[in-house]
Amino acid sequence: MSANAKNDCSVVEEELDEEPRSIILSMISQLRKDMDLSRITFPTFVLEPRSFTERVTDFMSHPDFLIQASVCEDPVQRFIGVVKYYMSGWHIHPKGVKKPYNPVLGEFFRSRCVFDDGTSAFFVSEQVSHHPPITAMFYHSPEHHIAIEGDLRPKSRFFGNSVGMLLEGYAKVHFGRWNENYQVTYPNMYARGILFGKMVLELGETSTVTCVESDLAFDVEFKTKGLIWGTYNQIAGKIRRISTREVLYEISGNWQTQIFILDVREKKRVGSLEPTVLFDSARERVVPQLVACAGEQEANESRNLWKYVTKAIVENNLDNATTYKSAIEEEQREDAKRRDAAKDRFVPRFFQLETDGNYHPKLQDIAEDPVKAKEDIVNWIFTRPDGRLQDFDRAEDDPVVLAAGLAATKSLPRH
């Protein structure tokens, strides 16, 4: 693989025209190095047409890997399956170097998946805090006894010729069949070349997957390209025993294209061994998120809330996108003033802050029986204020969505 981005098809890059770059330069002239960007309003041409509450679902793009892992009898193979699932979510991205909408307080996104065997999974995320921004999430597949919960706390920083998004927070994958928890941390994201050169998306730093119950940990370094040497999107990781630190497997490759796994113990035994493919993004199918039409969504449901902005971005009408985006942001400021005046405290709808400092779903003690669990989860996530469930069979009839050509897919294009 060439170190030159022009020859690397896996590199996520974008070249800005003179006008957009001049706008960024004007905005950046007001910033200081290492400054927190959470209160900075970004121009619409750097936005991808979806909210961060929806972008979280990128991590659920390949649920088949979790389903396969959850039925493995061998705890090491289960752990490898979770690692495969974790590494599979990073190749999903918008075209170019874009950032999602900053969700407004109380905004939420909900969806469901239907698998080939007729089983299902359900998802909800909610913006539970605006300053600092915190997005809480919940994913559950009752038939497979798989649950994911967590909260993401992105912090944006200005580093001169790059902007970084530091992904703090927690996430936990739970296998009910084995009573195992897999704790997950995230790498940082960087948009390089915002002042000069092509803009390039990179992941950097070290992240982990840890399962105390199986005594296993995965440490992976997302490598950033050097100024002269190196290549984009490279990773290097190890699966090891927590108690003895014995390395069982090595993980390598490119998080955008192919990831490889090597059995270290087997290599020692036979003397020479080539790594095998763990994940190939070109061969794997992305499972779409099914979302109810705009008419079935509430006012602060992500796609409905941002539909005018999304339509304008899709149509490349950046003036309209800016106008609609500013209106949403102004309404959020007015809502904050009204709460302050009334001394009201915002209470999230789906999640609650607990004593561990993290947000957890309000739905607790989910039944082991998949039929009962599915009923409870569906009622909790999809019940509307009028008491009825969202109708996923209703055809899209919203003129804004139809005009933007977004009704043709239940899952917005991401790459």
Side-chain angles (χ1 to χ4, degrees):
M1 182 184 295
S2 169
N4 190 332
K6 292 182 180 179
N7 298 324
D8 186 351
C9 63
S10 74
V11 178
V12 184
E13 64 180 17
E14 181 175 10
E15 190 161 15
L16 292 180
D17 295 331
E18 183 176 342
E19 181 181 358
R21 191 174 293 279
S22 67
I23 295 174
I24 284 186
L25 288 172
S26 175
M27 180 183 72
I28 286 176
S29 66
Q30 309 169 44
L31 306 180
R32 304 182 307 277
K33 192 174 180 181
D34 295 325
M35 183 178 180
D36 182 2
L37 304 183
S38 62
R39 295 178 183 269
I40 300 297
T41 299
F42 284 86
T44 52
F45 62 79
V46 305
L47 299 177
E48 64 168 307
R50 59 175 176 156
S51 176
F52 187 75
T53 54
E54 180 172 359
R55 189 170 186 174
V56 174
T57 63
D58 288 355
F59 298 110
M60 289 77 184
S61 296
H62 300 283
D64 314 54
F65 301 155
L66 280 184
I67 294 172
Q68 294 162 11
S70 71
V71 297
C72 286
E73 296 288 337
D74 182 354
V76 175
Q77 293 305 310
R78 283 200 302 276
F79 190 86
I80 291 173
V82 175
V83 168
K84 181 179 180 179
Y85 152 78
Y86 173 75
M87 295 303 301
S88 71
W90 301 108
H91 75 99
I92 305 293
H93 58 79
K95 184 178 180 181
V97 181
K98 305 292 185 182
K99 71 178 294 296
Y101 310 140
N102 290 330
V104 302
L105 188 63
E107 175 187 337
F108 63 93
F109 176 83
R110 49 188 174 183
S111 62
R112 63 185 179 94
C113 290
V114 178
F115 305 126
D116 292 340
D117 62 0
T119 59
S120 53
F122 308 97
F123 175 85
V124 64
S125 60
E126 181 180 15
Q127 194 70 7
V128 294
S129 172
H130 188 61
H131 292 304
I134 303 175
T135 305
M137 64 175 179
F138 170 87
Y139 177 93
H140 202 290
S141 178
E143 294 94 341
H144 299 287
H145 305 282
I146 297 172
I148 304 172
E149 68 167 78
D151 63 46
L152 291 171
R153 306 180 183 215
K155 294 183 177 180
S156 298
R157 291 288 187 274
F158 174 57
F159 298 118
N161 194 36
S162 65
V163 171
M165 183 168 73
L166 317 182
L167 281 175
E168 299 180 355
Y170 88 101
K172 177 180 70 175
V173 178
H174 177 73
F175 284 166
R177 184 177 281 110
W178 307 101
N179 196 27
E180 289 177 337
N181 293 306
Y182 297 79
Q183 302 287 341
V184 170
T185 64
Y186 299 102
N188 299 329
M189 295 184 178
Y190 300 98
R192 312 288 193 190
I194 60 175
L195 298 181
F196 51 84
K198 285 189 176 181
M199 290 180 65
V200 177
L201 174 67
E202 285 195 283
L203 300 181
E205 316 306 332
T206 298
S207 62
T208 61
V209 179
T210 306
C211 181
V212 174
E213 292 84 358
S214 60
D215 189 37
L216 292 167
F218 172 56
D219 307 298
V220 57
E221 180 188 2
F222 290 81
K223 299 183 177 182
T224 56
K225 182 184 177 299
L227 291 175
I228 300 175
W229 307 109
T231 55
Y232 286 101
N233 304 342
Q234 297 301 296
I235 60 163
K238 295 178 180 179
I239 296 175
R240 60 178 174 80
R241 294 284 183 192
I242 298 174
S243 56
T244 64
R245 302 195 66 81
E246 177 193 9
V247 176
L248 307 182
Y249 293 88
E250 293 179 346
I251 307 293
S252 61
N254 183 309
W255 56 261
Q256 181 67 23
T257 55
Q258 281 189 322
I259 298 172
F260 301 91
I261 185 169
L262 176 68
D263 188 330
V264 173
R265 293 174 298 177
E266 183 66 11
K267 182 180 180 180
K268 289 179 180 177
R269 189 182 70 83
V270 302
S272 178
L273 187 67
E274 291 296 316
T276 58
V277 175
L278 177 67
F279 173 74
D280 185 341
S281 63
R283 294 179 176 271
E284 299 294 347
R285 177 176 65 100
V286 172
V287 178
Q289 300 289 324
L290 304 178
V291 182
C293 70
E296 289 291 313
Q297 295 182 32
E298 296 176 37
N300 59 334
E301 205 157 342
S302 295
R303 288 195 184 177
N304 197 31
L305 174 69
W306 294 97
K307 64 185 178 184
Y308 289 98
V309 181
T310 298
K311 176 178 180 290
I313 291 177
V314 169
E315 295 175 344
N316 201 30
N317 190 331
L318 299 185
D319 288 338
N320 279 356
T322 299
T323 298
Y324 291 126
K325 176 173 173 287
S326 298
I328 292 173
E329 292 165 345
E330 180 59 30
E331 179 61 26
Q332 178 174 230
R333 286 189 284 270
E334 291 301 317
D335 285 343
K337 291 178 181 177
R338 285 191 287 268
R339 283 193 301 273
D340 288 344
K343 294 183 171 52
D344 283 341
R345 183 176 62 89
F346 170 75
V347 178
R349 172 170 168 178
F350 296 100
F351 299 89
Q352 58 192 11
L353 183 63
E354 297 189 3
T355 55
D356 62 357
N358 297 318
Y359 284 88
H360 297 272
K362 291 183 177 180
L363 181 65
Q364 297 289 328
D365 302 322
I366 298 174
E368 293 186 11
D369 173 44
V371 175
K372 180 67 167 83
K374 183 174 182 178
E375 179 184 3
D376 290 345
I377 293 169
V378 167
N379 286 334
W380 177 60
I381 295 179
F382 300 108
T383 298
R384 296 166 23 128
D386 60 9
R388 69 177 183 85
L389 294 175
Q390 277 190 318
D391 182 2
F392 279 82
D393 294 326
R394 177 179 169 183
E396 185 61 72
D397 55 4
D398 188 288
V400 175
V401 178
L402 292 172
L406 300 177
T409 175
K410 288 288 188 178
S411 185
L412 290 177
R414 294 181 283 192
H415 56 78

